[in-house]
Amino acid sequence: MKKLAVKDLSACMFCLTCENACAQAFYKGENFQAQDLSCIHVLGTDTPNKFKIATCVQCGKCSKSCEAGAITQNAQGVYTLNKKLCVNCGKCVEVCPFKVIVHAKDKPSPTKCIACGICVKACPQGVLYIKEDAKEAVSA
């Protein structure tokens, strides 16, 4: 299974470069608030200089909630959203336990992490990586 994972949370500087890179990948050239449209979220905590990073763990809850069948799992174990099948009901956004499926109000469908690695490449501290676990891979 392929998914985004946190390698070294203690190295996170809360620069939000990962969020900006993700949002820009899905919403190229648009004027947006990255935290609202990113499929990764860096969150502050009650402890100074300590952060949490919310990522898609490819759990499949979004797929199970999608009555249109627009969210399916590919051979690498990544749940992807087919925008042509999406009916914009918002159930996947509501059911996501990490709140990382996002929906711009002016767009016909939500976006979700596809484990593309753009945020990984953008992070100046090496906090993130793409985890590939052959044991959990989906048979095609």
Side-chain angles (χ1 to χ4, degrees):
M1 173 178 283
K2 182 178 172 183
K3 62 185 171 184
L4 179 62
V6 178
K7 183 184 339 180
D8 185 6
L9 185 58
S10 66
C12 182
M13 302 181 316
F14 201 66
C15 67
L16 305 180
T17 303
C18 58
E19 287 189 7
N20 289 320
C22 177
Q24 188 64 36
F26 283 110
Y27 302 95
K28 291 177 179 43
E30 295 187 29
N31 186 17
F32 58 80
Q33 186 72 342
Q35 288 183 312
D36 293 338
L37 299 178
S38 174
C39 297
I40 180 173
H41 298 299
V42 182
L43 310 165
T45 66
D46 293 336
T47 306
N49 299 317
K50 292 281 185 178
F51 311 104
K52 291 181 184 177
I53 300 177
T55 64
C56 178
V57 298
Q58 306 299 336
C59 67
K61 289 184 180 183
C62 55
S63 178
K64 291 176 184 134
S65 74
C66 182
E67 295 174 9
I71 302 175
T72 56
Q73 191 176 34
N74 68 19
Q76 290 81 34
V78 177
Y79 285 90
T80 60
L81 188 142
N82 182 330
K83 293 181 184 206
K84 291 179 183 175
L85 296 177
C86 181
V87 296
N88 198 20
C89 68
K91 289 181 182 177
C92 59
V93 176
E94 293 172 14
V95 74
C96 179
F98 304 102
K99 306 296 180 211
V100 291
I101 297 180
V102 295
H103 190 204
K105 291 176 181 28
D106 63 336
K107 298 296 178 189
S109 60
T111 53
K112 72 167 296 303
C113 178
I114 56 171
C116 67
I118 286 176
C119 58
V120 173
K121 291 175 187 163
C123 178
Q125 297 299 108
V127 173
L128 306 165
Y129 73 106
I130 297 295
K131 179 179 181 179
E132 295 189 53
D133 189 346
K135 294 177 188 171
E136 297 179 42
V138 176
S139 56

